Amino acid sequence: MLSFLMPARRGSGLGMALPALVLLLAFFVVPVTLLLTRSVTEPQPGLQNYETLLGSATYLRVFGNTFLVSGTVTLVTALIAFPVAWLLAITTPRLAGILFGIILLSMWTNLLARTYAWMVLLQQTGLINRMLMAVGVIDQPLQLTNNLIGVTIGMVYIMLPFMILPLYGVIRKIDPAILQAAALCGASKGQALRRVLLPLAAPGIASGALMVFVMSLGYFVTPALLGGTSNMMLAELIVQQVQSLVNWGMGAAAAFILLVVTLILYALQLRLFAGRGV
Amino acid sequence: MSYLHINGIRKVFGDVVATDHVELEIAQGEFMTFLGPSGSGKSTTLYIVAGFQDPTAGDIRLRGQSILNIPSHKRNIGMVFQRYTLFPHLSVAENVAFPLRVRRMNRAEIDDKVRRALALVRLDGLGERMPAKMSGGQQQRVALARALVYDPPVLLMDEPLSALDKKLREEIQHEIRRIHQETGVTILYVTHDQEEALRLSDRIAVFNQGKIEQVGTGPQLYASPATRFVADFVGDSAFLSGQVQDMTGTGATLRFADGTMLRDLPLHGAGRPGGAADLMLRPERIDLTPGRGREGASLPVTVEDVTFLGNSSTISARTPWGEVLAVRLTFGHPLLGQVRRGDRLTVQWQAQDAHAFARD
């Protein structure tokens, strides 16, 4: 008899989840509470850390940069990822396997190496500028590093797999006969995309977008290397406050704001796409 | 001039010929069924009419005009698929309204047409429901409403009932018949189920290996099958193998293994004296008698097995040369319930019910 493994009644199966709960408590709830506490106690008790962060133009610009870059990265990533995911879903298993290999290989390559590679490609005398000049599109090299353009390009590249995979997940489940039905109903390719394919892929777009946006909000390496000091993003601000200025309260407040924004976005997504898979 | 003309359609995938010289003229308002086993080319032909595939050769003409160069979404053709293809994110009413929305009709007209289409398939009042909350039968009704709401000149149906259980299938077959009568729409219907084909169709085109073997009404196909394949596929049948002895103007003489001869049989296919040929007899078109039987249209048999089925019995009868054929005795037959294993009796038939088919 295995009845001792079965919950005797509803709710008493909680015992099996206990180790996981303890782990969550120790490594998530406690640190977050400590973080919150530090943000309102250091250097002295009060909400002045939050007042400074949300009240001064300098810090607001950091938030502005962060949201602008994260938003742009999310949008561009989605635009590139959708056709790629579509191709993966409809192509032969062989070609899909090769494409997946390429995507995963880029994901598994060291992050720093990839970011440095972009620095080389994007710099004034880099491959991209030289090619554009050789073709004659531009006379002067474009400023592609040390600004938010560079950050956006570098981050789109890094975030692509996180958008492609959930999109592929939903698109693969769409029966091609549904699109044939749409066509016979009179829908042009554009109408079928807008009225059928996009709505059906929406849960995948939403989870991919949430993932990319949230990861972008707190991203450090790429903004630090490709962004330059005048275009600081939130993660760089936190590092600066904690490492250089040893202002733990300020860093904690910034991190806590980031967490709250993330949770709000997550709650929104749950609300909009509850029960729709992914 | 025919309404829909499927003109010499040939489709080749790589080195596989999916359909070859498919030629059919369909009248306006006709219910035409493509009947055949899977891989016989019936669905390929339908997909070519829908515009999902281009033929290698041939033409599709609607009211005399070729539609091959018109993309699917502009052909204005309706279709119900084998799988459930309702848009899962739209309600029933929105699904039915979809073809009208993409045609940019005005709101009032859309509402009116959707209401009438849902009434036609007897789903009035379920417009707000989501497809996932409906049974398979209801989903196919919605699909039917969606395919008919824009008054297409032709409605294509690709095995729309194959995912449903038998009882529901019969119920929806009734509905399809009624809807065909009420709307007068021209229907091309694909199925591998001969009963469904016989029940629904005005005419049936029997497909085999990419070609049409025979086109005709159900009774025509049943009573005078043109090929052995049609005889086998439409209705029940037994085949007794023999050899063509000689051929005259009135028919062929077949000789069987023990020397039994049957004369004046209508022979289908390219037969020649000495070539192999099969005699086809249908279980319900042959009679069992204790007497001597009809001259030239009877055989002495030994009863092998009796299966009682309530209002009928099926009897396995062995011919003198050892082949077995089935005989069906229906309610009221004097021998029903009387036949025992080992009985020596005679099977007899009407001359027009025996068909011989030459083997290639």
Side-chain angles (χ1 to χ4, degrees):
Chain A
M1 292 295 280
L2 291 171
S3 60
F4 65 93
L5 279 177
M6 304 293 173
R9 54 178 187 276
R10 268 183 96 81
S12 62
L14 205 65
M16 283 173 68
L18 206 62
L21 283 176
V22 170
L23 213 70
L24 267 179
L25 198 73
F27 293 103
F28 191 72
V29 179
V30 172
V32 167
T33 315
L34 289 176
L35 193 73
L36 181 61
T37 319
R38 281 196 131 167
S39 74
V40 290
T41 53
E42 289 182 22
Q44 66 257 24
L47 290 172
Q48 71 283 353
N49 282 331
Y50 291 94
E51 276 166 32
T52 320
L53 273 175
L54 299 172
S56 88
T58 324
Y59 292 129
L60 276 183
R61 240 193 83 203
V62 173
F63 280 107
N65 283 343
T66 309
F67 282 98
L68 178 70
V69 169
S70 301
T72 315
V73 166
T74 307
L75 190 72
V76 175
T77 310
L79 288 177
I80 299 174
F82 195 86
V84 176
W86 174 250
L87 181 67
L88 283 170
I90 62 165
T91 190
T92 58
R94 206 183 129 80
L95 185 60
I98 295 171
L99 288 173
F100 265 121
I102 295 171
I103 293 164
L104 290 177
L105 206 66
S106 82
M107 234 175 117
W108 292 333
T109 309
N110 182 283
L111 178 65
L112 271 174
R114 284 188 285 163
T115 308
Y116 276 120
W118 273 113
M119 282 176 79
V120 175
L121 286 173
L122 293 172
Q123 66 192 338
Q124 299 252 319
T125 56
L127 189 66
I128 290 172
N129 267 320
R130 273 190 299 175
M131 258 173 54
L132 288 175
M133 277 162 70
V135 180
V137 186
I138 49 170
D139 306 324
Q140 295 291 315
L142 297 171
Q143 178 67 40
L144 294 176
T145 51
N146 287 325
N147 59 16
L148 293 181
I149 297 173
V151 176
T152 306
I153 294 174
M155 281 181 49
V156 163
Y157 171 70
I158 285 158
M159 296 299 170
L160 263 176
F162 300 99
M163 187 68 97
I164 292 172
L165 294 178
L167 267 180
Y168 169 73
V170 287
I171 292 177
R172 198 182 42 140
K173 284 197 212 123
I174 299 173
D175 188 341
I178 286 189
L179 296 173
Q180 288 186 326
L184 272 196
C185 281
S188 64
K189 286 213 166 67
Q191 284 172 321
L193 176 73
R194 208 167 55 247
R195 289 174 177 269
V196 180
L197 194 53
L198 281 179
L200 290 182
I205 299 175
S207 64
L210 180 73
M211 179 112 83
V212 170
F213 191 78
V214 166
M215 281 173 73
S216 300
L217 284 180
Y219 224 64
F220 173 69
V221 174
T222 309
L225 292 179
L226 288 168
T229 42
S230 55
N231 302 293
M232 197 180 267
M233 283 176 62
L234 201 56
E236 294 171 273
L237 175 78
I238 296 172
V239 169
Q240 191 196 48
Q241 292 293 335
V242 173
Q243 263 183 3
S244 315
L245 309 174
V246 203
N247 189 346
W248 279 88
M250 206 54 167
F256 197 73
I257 290 173
L258 198 60
L259 182 65
V260 170
V261 171
T262 304
L263 288 178
I264 290 172
L265 289 172
Y266 182 57
L268 262 177
Q269 196 224 14
L270 280 187
R271 233 186 125 79
L272 287 173
F273 294 98
R276 294 212 23 207
V278 186
Chain B
M1 186 183 66
S2 58
Y3 184 68
L4 180 66
H5 188 184
I6 298 172
N7 183 201
I9 288 296
R10 177 183 167 84
K11 176 69 182 176
V12 180
F13 295 105
D15 46 0
V16 180
V17 180
T19 66
D20 202 7
H21 298 106
V22 171
E23 176 73 31
L24 261 184
E25 300 202 24
I26 296 139
Q28 182 160 19
E30 195 172 13
F31 195 125
M32 169 66 85
T33 296
F34 296 173
L35 175 66
S38 61
S40 61
K42 56 194 195 308
S43 289
T44 303
T45 308
L46 199 75
Y47 285 174
I48 288 170
V49 177
F52 298 148
Q53 277 158 12
D54 290 324
T56 311
D59 200 2
I60 307 281
R61 277 191 286 272
L62 184 63
R63 300 190 196 92
Q65 300 286 317
S66 174
I67 58 169
L68 279 189
N69 290 322
I70 305 173
S72 287
H73 72 275
K74 287 190 179 148
R75 285 194 188 185
N76 203 35
I77 284 174
M79 183 155 175
V80 179
F81 292 76
Q82 183 173 7
R83 297 196 295 264
Y84 304 136
T85 59
L86 295 182
F87 307 124
H89 60 296
L90 299 179
S91 72
V92 165
E94 287 166 336
N95 261 283
V96 179
F98 182 91
L100 308 175
R101 292 248 165 83
V102 299
R103 284 171 174 74
R104 306 190 196 288
M105 257 182 210
N106 71 54
R107 187 88 217 179
E109 203 176 346
I110 290 178
D111 288 348
D112 181 51
K113 277 180 179 282
V114 168
R115 200 168 38 248
R116 274 191 286 151
L118 285 177
L120 180 69
V121 297
R122 307 216 164 135
L123 287 177
D124 337 45
L126 291 183
E128 297 309 308
R129 198 156 304 175
M130 295 307 280
K133 304 254 186 234
M134 301 186 105
S135 70
Q138 285 176 320
Q139 289 195 41
Q140 289 304 63
R141 282 170 194 251
V142 178
L144 195 55
R146 184 180 67 181
L148 286 170
V149 72
Y150 48 99
D151 301 317
V154 178
L155 175 64
L156 310 178
M157 303 182 89
D158 183 15
E159 309 219 16
L161 309 183
S162 58
L164 308 178
D165 63 47
K166 190 169 158 52
K167 194 166 173 294
L168 199 57
R169 207 153 57 214
E170 284 175 12
E171 183 189 316
I172 300 197
Q173 282 167 1
H174 266 297
E175 290 286 280
I176 291 172
R177 267 187 81 92
R178 175 182 62 77
I179 288 164
H180 178 236
Q181 280 157 11
E182 278 180 30
T183 59
V185 65
T186 309
I187 296 180
L188 289 191
Y189 193 98
V190 165
T191 183
H192 61 266
D193 179 346
Q194 50 129 341
E195 242 184 83
E196 188 167 294
L198 293 170
R199 190 169 297 177
L200 292 173
S201 327
D202 294 326
R203 282 196 300 156
I204 299 167
V206 182
F207 277 71
N208 182 33
Q209 297 183 336
K211 290 196 168 93
I212 294 180
E213 296 253 338
Q214 190 176 3
V215 185
T217 64
Q220 281 169 356
L221 297 181
Y222 177 80
S224 28
T227 65
R228 189 198 148 109
F229 180 83
V230 174
D232 196 19
F233 208 80
V234 179
D236 294 332
S237 46
F239 291 92
L240 302 177
S241 46
Q243 199 182 38
V244 179
Q245 188 71 14
D246 63 61
M247 294 162 67
T248 64
T250 49
T253 301
L254 254 58
R255 184 179 189 276
F256 295 92
D258 68 332
T260 304
M261 302 268 202
L262 287 171
R263 285 168 227 288
D264 292 335
L265 298 166
L267 182 67
H268 304 271
R272 54 178 174 81
D278 295 329
L279 171 67
M280 188 277 283
L281 291 168
R282 298 200 186 276
E284 63 280 12
R285 307 293 288 181
I286 44 185
D287 187 23
L288 208 54
T289 168
R292 281 198 51 222
R294 209 168 280 124
E295 180 62 33
S298 60
L299 284 171
V301 292
T302 311
V303 173
E304 279 270 297
D305 194 20
V306 181
T307 313
F308 180 65
L309 298 164
N311 62 354
S312 70
S313 276
T314 300
I315 288 144
S316 300
R318 185 175 289 278
T319 62
W321 61 91
E323 282 188 293
V324 174
L325 77 162
V327 184
R328 191 163 304 140
L329 299 185
T330 47
F331 180 77
H333 193 283
L335 288 183
L336 187 65
Q338 308 292 317
V339 182
R340 299 282 174 270
R341 258 190 81 164
D343 286 356
R344 289 171 177 278
L345 299 163
T346 304
V347 292
Q348 60 176 1
W349 56 87
Q350 303 286 337
Q352 73 267 17
D353 288 331
H355 294 268
F357 296 95
R359 261 195 252 157
D360 308 323

